Structure formats: structure tokens, C-alpha cells
Amino acid sequence: MRTAEIRRRFLDYFAARGHQVVPSAPLLYNDPTLLFVNAGMVPFKPYFTGAETPPYDRATSVQKCVRTLDIEEVGKTTRHGTFFQMNGNFSFGDYFKAEAIRFAWELVTGSQDDGFLGFDPNRVWVTVLHSDDEAARLWENIAGLPPERIQRRGLLDNYWNMGIPGPGGPCSEIYYDRGPEYGREGGPVVDEDRYLEIWNLVFMQEELSTVRAKDDFDVLADLPRKNIDTGMGLERVATLLQGVDNLYEIDEVVGVLRKAAELSGRTYGAEGGHDDDVRMRVVADHVRSGLMLIADGVTPGNEARGYVLRRLLRRVVRSMRLLGVTDPVLPELLPVSRDVMKASYPEVERDWDRIAGIAYAEEEAFRRTLVSGTQIFDVAVADTRKGGGSTLSGDRAFQLHDTYGFPIDLTLEMASEQGLSVDADGFRRLMAEQKARAKADAKSKKAGAQAVEVYRELRATGVTPFTGYSELASDTSIRGIVLDGDLVASAAEGDVVEVVLERTPFYAESGGQDSDAGTITGDGFELEVVDVQRPVKGLVVHRVRVARGELQSGTDVLAQVDGEWRLGACQAHSGTHVMHAALRQVLGPTALQSGSYNKPGYLRLDFAWQGGLSQATRSDVEEAANRAIRADLDVSATYMPLATAREIGALALFGETYDEEVRVVEMGGPWSRELCGGTHVQHSSQVGLVTITTESSVGSGVRRVEAFVGIEAFRYLAAERSLVHGLTETLKVQPDQLVDRVGRLVAQLKDAERQIAELRSRQVLAEAGSIVARAHEMWGVDYIGHAAPGVAGNDLRSLALEVRNRVQDRAAVVAVVGGSADKPSVVVVTTEGARHRRLSAGDLVRVASETLGGRGGGKPDIAQGGGSDGSKSQEALTAVEHAIGHVLQS
């Protein structure tokens, strides 16, 4: 049974039993505690915690997930994969244990001819929490399982919680016996390779007050509404139903594995080919993960999500290289994954041009990194040998890996070719420390999530209606005051607190739009609004400074948005939509927005694109935007079902999640049609003017344009006009002659600088004769030390070489110190006769550079360095002289 069919059967089964089918949330979910969605229940977490009221009593989904903590284990075991799909059914205070067990048993063991999955019921085992007699009894009564196939386990294995105070409860896991060829008898408590877990049923029934560890927590009380959260590993079920050994060999993955084998000329599963098999499995897993991450809007980068994607794609290239393939591989592998995944996720085909462009550009960048990394590796090898060692240090290997993106496997391979080993233990220790820091950061973020408890309490009393689409001032009242995470009854003048209103005209920062500014006034007090946020869905929180008087909770107030600020915000946000549409008009439909920020007078928009925009293209985009503004396009906002919005082509921002009812903002009908909750002008002409100020790269395959909007755009252009006017007055030319005139001046200046440099060089070299005359003989070697203040760069090097040319017939060392007082430079050269006396320019320049407060190095015949203290020039020359004497006398 194909994976897509298993997925369909699961959703159909629960839909037929009253469950709302919920589409998968994007992998980039709006949760500060998560890098990516890593479990099927993540989109439903606000319902389980009570932060939001669920719109349905029961739901089902197949959720895309990514986990990367065990990335190094991918391919080595049959259980580790980075991207996976989690089938789930959920109950929010509706059915509980008995129904969850009945549903699971029927779907798992029911006949395939009847639409079920058709597992042999005699090979099904389950585990329950050691104290959960009820679950054990239900499995016996509902499924008819004998007691020996119902195993009890402790809290570590069979209790679920989020790691923070909140809901928790016992689990019951379903396992399938793969047979004696896969391991020992005795059930999952003995061997979890033979007995493969396929489904976990979580019975949320308790409220936890303190969570110290997965198996160490305090139970506050029973939940008033008991919930069900289940997770069935789609890939694991496919492994069993397709009769293959592991998840890398199922239909959605194996195609890439076979293509990797074909490109490399290796045979998967060949005797003695364990390492090759691991590499092919890594490729198969990571190609699919990279495809799905890019499809959901992730772009390669050096931090957080972007770094994970970059690492996955680079591990593909590295693994193929270790398989002997040095040509570009993603153009061969990625389309294979697209073709099998598009049945379940049509967006991978719809957005293919963008996805492929990002992935292929990243591979090309890594291929360049491999070249530069090899050079850095060669330096590390040389330093190791120079120190008399035979082991590349762990910190050098980690530096290559972490700073330069050079994979450790390649470092090990290349070191072996050079006859060196690598301190792998030291490397692993540094990697472990980095992982520990990452886990600590994640834990701190998770701990920070506890601070929203007060917001959940306020949200439980109702949402905060936003009235700002139709008014700038609202009569309202203060629902709550928050200070340092606690509810307080009042706030005094000068305090900075957070205020929740019963209704508000203030726009909370979201969708790239900055929050509104304004005031909240009441009887005897005035609050200055400095920020507005939505810490939990449906609740608007105003950060305010008490400018006058004393604030009391429950007081009636007037909330007033600054009209000028809102006008500027509307212009900037509408201008962002105009800029996005103009980019797509000029560049094509793949130039999709991947992020934005706007505030009064300014907008910033990130979009998918390879390579910088020429000045002509920038001008075309700017003109397209301003023509749309001049056209006075009608701007409208309409609410409609999400499915309808997608059907009419409304664009959604990557990483955002949307309700089933969405707001679609249109400008000129289909010219610009986007899902958006922000505030906008009523006609495009009200934007006024857009002028692009910069265009730059913010990551592989992502460009950024910044622009001024409205009056700020006019001021920007007025300042440029003033600058042009000043230049034309100074140069006595017309504006249209300015570029030519400045060009001629620059050419003349460069010519003059070249002539000056030539004169200075001749003057410097003219001193060579007098410098040679001051040579000092030491044990048969002439030492010529000379201070040349103000001489630097090539001139200093040329002077040293010219002096050496005049003493080539004898053993001689020339040291010249120049540069400036705060940035001295030194060059040391030696003749062949001096080198026969064991005098090396590289060794001597290090002595001089250290005296100058810096470093230096080079070859035995010529070397250079520098420092930070030019007052020690003579000391540096004397130090070289002493070093020469030490070598000659030893």
C-alpha cells in the first residue's frame, strides 16, 4: 500500500466518524519554543492548554514534522529520519480512552478490502502505563488482546507532558511484531527493533503544576475536560505495509536512494557495503527533508532554521562525494523526491521553480566552500606537521565544520590521505557542547512560555475585538494590568506596564506591520502606548507608560490611535503589497515574498530570487509600483473561506498559519491579491510614492528591497535633488552632464594617484644604495635593518627586494619596518647565502612582528607582518639582529 493511500485511508476513517479534517500546518509554525513543527499535536497545543477554545470537538490531521536533534544518526538506524508525517486524531473534551482504543484497533486490524489497514491482529502488542489498569482492561475487552501482549512500562516510556506546567497523561503505544528475523522475542520491553511502534495514544487527564523531568513532575488536579492526542508514524506504517526493512525503502523515499546508487555506481545492500548504504540513506532522507522545508519557505542560512536546511543539503552533497560523485547532484535527486511527494503535497510541484532555484544555488555555494575549505584544511595539516604532530586537533576539525561548513567526514577522509589522524573525541566533545548550548537555549525558550500563563488567564474571559479597521478611537475599559508577568490592580505614574482592553482600535504588530502608537486616557490619567502585541491568539496586549496619574484595573477609558501614525502605517503596508506585485510583474511569479516589515514611511520586503537586481531592473520595479499607485487602484478587504482564497490565487506568506476564514486584501483585483490582516489605504494613489533605496542579499536565494513611502519617499528624493544641485553648482555643469563630468574627474584623479605612486616608488628605491652602505656584518652574514616611516604595502616590499638585489652575491638579511604609528609593517628578505646559514625570513619576521605587537609569517626567502605599535620600530630591528646572532652562534 503506497504511503499516500495510507494517508488517505487514515483521514477518511476519522472523517467518517465525525472528525474535522485539518490540513497540515507549515513546518515553520508560529511557536517560540520550536524551530520546526516536531509533532502532530503542535497546531492543536493552544486547545489542549486552554489558551484557545477549539472550533470543533474532534479533529484529524496528517502533520508534516521535522526533527534534527538526532541528525547524525540518520541512515545508521532504521528509526531515525529528519522529515516525517504524523497521522493523528484528537478529542477536545469529547471521547476518551475507550473510543480512542476502539478507533485505533478497528483501523489497524480491519480488512484492507473494507478501507482499513489490515494488520494481523495476532501480531499486535501494546504498552500501557504501569498504573493504568483502565487502559489494560479496555485493550482486553475491546481488542481481545491477551494479557501477555499488554505490557506495562514506567513514566519515562508511557507518560506524556510538554516539559512545562500544563496538561499531561498516560500513554498507550501500539507495536507490531515484525518476526524473529528482526530480533528477540518478548515484546517491546525486550526489543523495539523487532516490535516496531506504530501508534501512540495519549490520554490527557491531569493538570501538572511543576515539571522537573519527563518522569519527575507534580500533578495539580484532574483536568475538567479530558482530551485525546494520538500520533501514528506514517512512514513506519508504510514500512510494514510495503514489506520493506526500514523507512528509507518506502515508496516516498526509495526513489532517491536508487538514484543515488545509480549516479555513484554503487549497489545498495551489497555485501560489505554498510558505509555506502548509510550514505545513500542519508541522501534519501535529507533530499526529501530539504524539499519540504524549502516548499514551506525556509531558505539556507547560517542561523536557526536556515542553518538546519543548509546542513541537510550539504550533507547530501558530502555523502554523494563520499560515494564518488563530484558533479552537481541535486538537479538529479530533487526532482525524484518532488515526483513522489506531489501526490500528498501539490505545492512541491506548483512552486518547483522557486524550490529548485534555492536548492541548486545552495549546492553551488557549497561546492565553492569545498574548494576554500580544502585550502584551510591544507593550512591546518601544515601547522600540525610543523608542530611535529600526527593528529589534527579536535578544535581545528570543529572550526572547519562549524565556521566553514566543512563536513567532519571529509576532514577524516582527507586527513587519512595525508597520513594524519583526527582528534575525533575532541571534535565530538565540542559538538556535544554546542548541542548542549542549543538544548539549553530551547529549554529557556520553553521556560519562557510559562510566562504567558497570565495572558491565557486574561484570554479565558474572551477575545479582544479589534475595531481599528473602521475607527481610530474606541470607548472601552481595562480588563487587566500586567507587571513582570503578574496581574496587578493598579499602576503609578512613570510605570511601564501591559494593559489588556475589552476592545481596542490599536493594531498589534503582525504580518510585518509595526504596531500602532497613540494614547489611552481615563479619569485623571493618561497612558502612552509604546507597543502592541498578541502574546496568545485572540488577546491584544498594550505596553504602555503611565504618563500622568494612577491607573486602576476595570476603569473606563478612551483608546485613541495617532492618526498620522496610522496613515503612515497604511501607506507603508499597502506600499509593501504594491512592491510585491511589482516584483512579480517584472521578475515573474517565482519572486514570492518570504518576509516583510513596514512602519510609517518605510518598508522592507524579502523575496525569493537568485542574484542581484541590475539598476535597470530596479528602475523597472520602481516604475511598475508607482504606475500602479498612479492608477488609483481600488483597495478592498474581503473575508472568505481559506479554500476559496487559495482557489482565486490569493498569496499567503510562508510560515504563517491561517484560520479557516481569512481576510483577502486586493488591489486592482487580481493584480495584487494576498491574505492579510493589516491596515490599508482605500485607493492605491493614497500610498503617494515609493522609491527603492537599497537591494541586497539576505541569504542564499533570498533578496531584500528597502524603500521609503509617502512623504518619506519625497524627502529622500528631495535630499538627492539637493545633493545633485550642489554638485552641479560646484562643477559648473548641467544635471544631465554631471555623470560624465564626475567620471572624467575620477579618471584624472586615478591618473594623478598613479603618477604620484610611481614617483614615490622611485624615490623609495633611490634610497637602496645608501641603505646597503649601512650593512652590519655578523659572523659572516650582513644584516641590513632600516626604518622607513610612512612607507607601506608594495612600496615597502619593493624596497626590501631592491636592497636584497644589491647584496645577492653574499649572505645577507634585510629587514625593513615602515607603515604608520598605529599600524606598522615589516618585511624581511634573505639571500641564498643567508638561507644556507639556517636563516629564515619567516622565522625572523615573527620576531619583529611580536615586538611590534602583532603577527607575521611567510617563506624562508621573503616574509611580512605587522603590528599595532610603530614606536617600537627600532626595537623590532634590534630583535631581528639578536635572533640572527642566536641562530649563527647555535
Side-chain angles (χ1 to χ4, degrees):
M1 191 182 299
R2 297 185 67 83
T3 305
E5 173 63 12
I6 300 169
R7 180 181 190 273
R8 185 192 66 78
R9 289 188 179 212
F10 185 91
L11 293 176
D12 287 352
Y13 175 86
F14 283 102
R17 287 152 182 82
H19 291 66
Q20 173 69 43
V21 177
V22 179
S24 172
L27 289 165
L28 285 73
Y29 194 68
N30 187 25
D31 187 324
T33 69
L34 297 175
L35 199 61
F36 302 109
V37 171
N38 63 358
M41 61 79 63
V42 168
F44 304 101
K45 191 162 69 171
Y47 307 151
F48 289 130
T49 60
E52 297 177 26
T53 301
Y56 27 68
D57 292 332
R58 50 177 74 180
T60 185
S61 70
V62 177
Q63 175 62 47
K64 297 177 287 187
C65 302
V66 166
R67 292 179 186 169
T68 57
L69 284 178
D70 296 321
I71 191 171
E72 300 293 345
E73 299 304 313
V74 170
K76 298 176 183 177
T77 76
T78 61
R79 293 199 301 258
H80 288 95
T82 50
F83 173 85
F84 61 96
Q85 299 159 89
M86 190 62 74
N87 300 351
N89 61 288
F90 309 91
S91 166
F92 311 105
D94 187 10
Y95 61 83
F96 199 50
K97 287 184 186 180
E99 292 87 347
I101 290 172
R102 183 177 295 110
F103 288 150
W105 181 254
E106 182 179 31
L107 180 56
V108 167
T109 62
S111 168
Q112 290 188 7
D113 293 338
D114 295 331
F116 305 117
L117 298 181
F119 283 101
D120 181 352
N122 295 315
R123 297 170 68 177
V124 174
W125 292 62
V126 300
T127 61
V128 298
L129 185 65
H130 54 70
S131 59
D132 195 352
D133 296 332
E134 180 188 8
R137 185 174 62 256
L138 287 169
W139 278 114
E140 288 186 46
N141 295 338
I142 293 172
L145 282 177
E148 61 270 18
R149 297 217 315 267
I150 304 171
Q151 297 187 320
R152 297 182 182 243
R153 305 182 90 166
L155 293 169
L156 198 60
D157 293 299
N158 276 71
Y159 194 95
W160 177 90
N161 63 68
M162 294 191 300
I164 59 174
C171 312
S172 182
E173 296 173 323
I174 303 174
Y175 292 80
Y176 192 72
D177 181 2
R178 305 173 75 187
E181 63 270 30
Y182 287 95
R184 297 172 295 161
E185 292 187 8
V189 297
V190 173
D191 191 330
E192 289 199 0
D193 283 324
R194 171 173 170 172
Y195 301 89
L196 188 67
E197 179 195 342
I198 58 172
W199 206 345
N200 185 16
L201 314 180
V202 177
F203 311 128
M204 290 189 201
Q205 60 190 47
E206 296 168 331
E207 178 78 17
L208 309 185
S209 59
T210 305
V211 179
R212 292 172 290 274
K214 193 174 187 299
D215 58 346
D216 183 13
F217 49 82
D218 297 328
V219 176
L220 179 65
D222 288 340
L223 285 174
R225 285 165 55 93
K226 296 177 180 180
N227 306 312
I228 289 293
D229 158 28
T230 84
M232 169 193 275
L234 180 54
E235 283 75 10
R236 291 192 179 186
V237 173
T239 298
L240 295 170
L241 292 181
Q242 293 174 19
V244 295
D245 282 342
N246 54 66
L247 60 87
Y248 308 103
E249 297 173 16
I250 65 172
D251 61 308
E252 287 190 348
V253 184
V254 75
V256 177
L257 188 150
R258 289 172 178 159
K259 190 67 175 179
E262 174 190 326
L263 293 172
S264 65
R266 313 287 177 94
T267 301
Y268 180 72
E271 186 176 349
H274 171 73
D275 289 345
D276 286 349
D277 289 354
V278 169
R279 289 161 187 159
M280 287 185 228
R281 291 196 287 260
V282 167
V283 170
D285 172 85
H286 288 6
V287 165
R288 186 170 72 143
S289 299
L291 172 74
M292 300 309 295
L293 285 169
I294 299 173
D296 271 1
V298 185
T299 55
N302 290 326
E303 295 181 354
R305 294 162 170 164
Y307 178 72
V308 170
L309 173 60
R310 170 161 287 169
R311 190 177 176 203
L312 291 171
L313 295 179
R314 292 187 170 191
R315 277 170 60 91
V316 170
V317 177
R318 178 259 294 169
S319 296
M320 291 300 293
R321 180 186 173 99
L322 293 176
L323 288 168
V325 183
T326 56
D327 291 333
V329 295
L330 287 179
E332 299 285 344
L333 300 170
L334 204 63
V336 178
S337 189
R338 172 202 62 197
D339 291 343
V340 293
M341 296 304 294
K342 67 184 182 184
S344 297
Y345 304 100
E347 62 267 24
V348 300
E349 184 173 42
R350 184 177 62 243
D351 296 340
W352 175 248
D353 289 344
R354 178 186 63 84
I355 293 168
I358 291 172
Y360 300 166
E362 177 61 21
E363 178 173 16
E364 184 56 37
F366 184 47
R367 286 166 61 82
R368 293 193 297 269
T369 294
L370 287 175
V371 173
S372 59
T374 300
Q375 295 171 346
I376 297 163
F377 172 82
D378 290 342
V379 172
V381 169
D383 289 346
T384 301
R385 284 180 171 155
K386 192 167 187 178
S390 60
T391 301
L392 195 69
S393 67
D395 60 342
R396 293 300 288 269
F398 182 76
Q399 181 189 37
L400 281 163
H401 170 83
D402 194 54
T403 305
Y404 301 104
F406 209 61
I408 183 60
D409 286 0
L410 269 182
T411 301
L412 291 166
E413 178 188 38
M414 293 171 63
S416 177
E417 292 171 355
Q418 297 283 339
L420 298 177
S421 60
V422 177
D423 178 13
D425 289 340
F427 173 82
R428 284 192 290 269
R429 175 178 52 78
L430 292 168
M431 283 294 293
E433 290 174 2
Q434 186 185 64
K435 278 188 176 182
R437 287 193 296 271
K439 286 183 177 179
D441 181 57
K443 187 174 182 180
S444 68
K445 287 181 179 179
K446 188 173 284 189
Q450 299 180 49
V452 305
E453 190 59 40
V454 66
Y455 304 132
R456 292 174 181 154
E457 183 179 336
L458 290 165
R459 171 63 180 79
T461 63
V463 300
T464 310
F466 173 61
T467 63
Y469 290 137
S470 58
E471 63 183 20
L472 294 181
S474 296
D475 290 317
T476 181
S477 62
I478 295 176
R479 183 187 300 180
I481 305 169
V482 179
L483 177 63
D484 296 331
D486 295 318
L487 277 174
V488 296
S490 63
E493 187 170 315
D495 286 348
V496 176
V497 295
E498 293 173 319
V499 168
V500 174
L501 304 176
E502 290 297 338
R503 58 201 298 265
T504 182
F506 285 92
Y507 183 81
E509 181 181 354
S510 62
Q513 181 176 335
D514 204 353
S515 60
D516 278 334
T519 59
I520 299 172
T521 55
D523 186 12
F525 64 86
E526 179 178 346
L527 314 177
E528 176 192 355
V529 178
V530 295
D531 190 21
V532 189
Q533 297 291 330
R534 282 191 177 92
V536 297
K537 189 175 181 181
L539 187 76
V540 177
V541 175
H542 310 72
R543 188 168 182 80
V544 303
R545 183 181 65 84
V546 183
R548 176 175 58 84
E550 182 176 333
L551 171 65
Q552 297 286 338
S553 184
T555 307
D556 291 336
V557 295
L558 174 67
Q560 176 79 52
V561 176
D562 184 319
E564 283 296 313
W565 179 277
R566 171 63 72 81
L567 173 60
C570 290
Q571 288 178 314
H573 200 152
S574 296
T576 304
H577 284 226
V578 168
M579 183 62 67
H580 188 201
L583 283 163
R584 288 167 53 80
Q585 177 179 318
V586 173
L587 301 178
T590 60
L592 283 169
Q593 177 180 334
S594 59
S596 69
Y597 172 72
N598 54 79
K599 62 180 182 179
Y602 169 84
L603 70 84
R604 181 184 75 216
L605 188 144
D606 298 342
F607 61 100
W609 196 251
Q610 300 294 333
L613 306 186
S614 67
Q615 184 58 50
T617 302
R618 283 179 52 175
S619 296
D620 289 345
V621 172
E622 197 172 64
E623 181 171 345
N626 284 298
R627 282 187 177 276
I629 291 170
R630 189 181 70 173
D632 196 30
L633 303 175
D634 183 56
V635 180
S636 64
T638 309
Y639 288 91
M640 63 183 70
L642 178 60
T644 304
R646 295 192 186 281
E647 286 174 8
I648 66 173
L651 299 176
L653 185 64
F654 286 119
E656 290 290 324
T657 54
Y658 299 94
D659 295 330
E660 285 305 303
E661 177 108 328
V662 294
R663 183 171 181 259
V664 178
V665 174
E666 293 184 327
M667 292 184 175
W671 186 76
S672 172
R673 183 176 281 155
E674 301 189 27
L675 304 187
C676 180
T679 61
H680 289 273
V681 298
Q682 295 179 324
H683 296 272
S684 64
S685 60
Q686 293 171 320
V687 172
L689 180 68
V690 171
T691 182
I692 297 174
T693 57
T694 63
E695 187 272 332
S696 60
S697 170
V698 290
S700 179
V702 181
R703 307 295 299 181
R704 170 174 291 174
V705 291
E706 296 179 84
F708 286 127
V709 185
I711 193 67
E712 291 300 325
F714 172 79
R715 289 170 179 160
Y716 175 80
L717 294 175
E720 285 201 334
R721 181 180 63 187
S722 177
L723 177 62
V724 170
H725 178 72
L727 288 172
T728 56
E729 286 289 308
T730 300
L731 300 176
K732 307 300 182 188
V733 295
Q734 293 300 312
D736 60 352
Q737 300 169 331
L738 188 60
V739 173
D740 182 60
R741 178 70 173 128
V742 171
R744 291 204 307 273
L745 284 174
V746 170
Q748 292 169 7
L749 179 61
K750 287 182 178 177
D751 187 54
E753 289 176 341
R754 180 182 55 79
Q755 293 179 32
I756 292 170
E758 290 176 355
L759 289 172
R760 185 171 61 241
S761 181
R762 284 198 291 269
Q763 182 180 7
V764 167
L765 295 179
E767 298 182 41
S770 60
I771 294 172
V772 169
R774 296 197 293 273
H776 170 53
E777 193 271 334
M778 304 169 57
W779 293 281
V781 174
D782 285 344
Y783 171 56
I784 304 169
H786 177 68
V791 181
N794 289 334
D795 287 342
L796 192 69
R797 185 184 180 94
S798 297
L799 176 60
L801 291 173
E802 178 63 24
V803 172
R804 185 179 69 177
N805 286 341
R806 300 191 182 206
V807 292
Q808 281 284 17
D809 58 340
R810 55 189 193 262
V813 175
V814 180
V816 184
V817 179
S820 60
D822 61 344
K823 196 174 181 180
S825 303
V826 57
V827 176
V828 177
V829 294
T830 59
T831 65
E832 186 175 356
R835 293 193 292 277
H836 282 315
R837 300 289 301 275
R838 297 180 292 112
L839 294 169
S840 167
D843 295 338
L844 296 173
V845 84
R846 274 190 281 273
V847 172
S849 298
E850 289 172 3
T851 306
L852 295 170
R855 317 185 280 185
K859 299 178 181 178
D861 62 329
I862 182 169
Q864 60 190 51
S868 58
D869 187 358
S871 67
K872 294 185 177 180
S873 295
Q874 286 299 332
E875 290 182 38
L877 294 172
T878 301
V880 172
E881 182 177 2
H882 290 161
I884 293 171
H886 179 74
V887 172
L888 294 176
Q889 294 179 74
S890 62

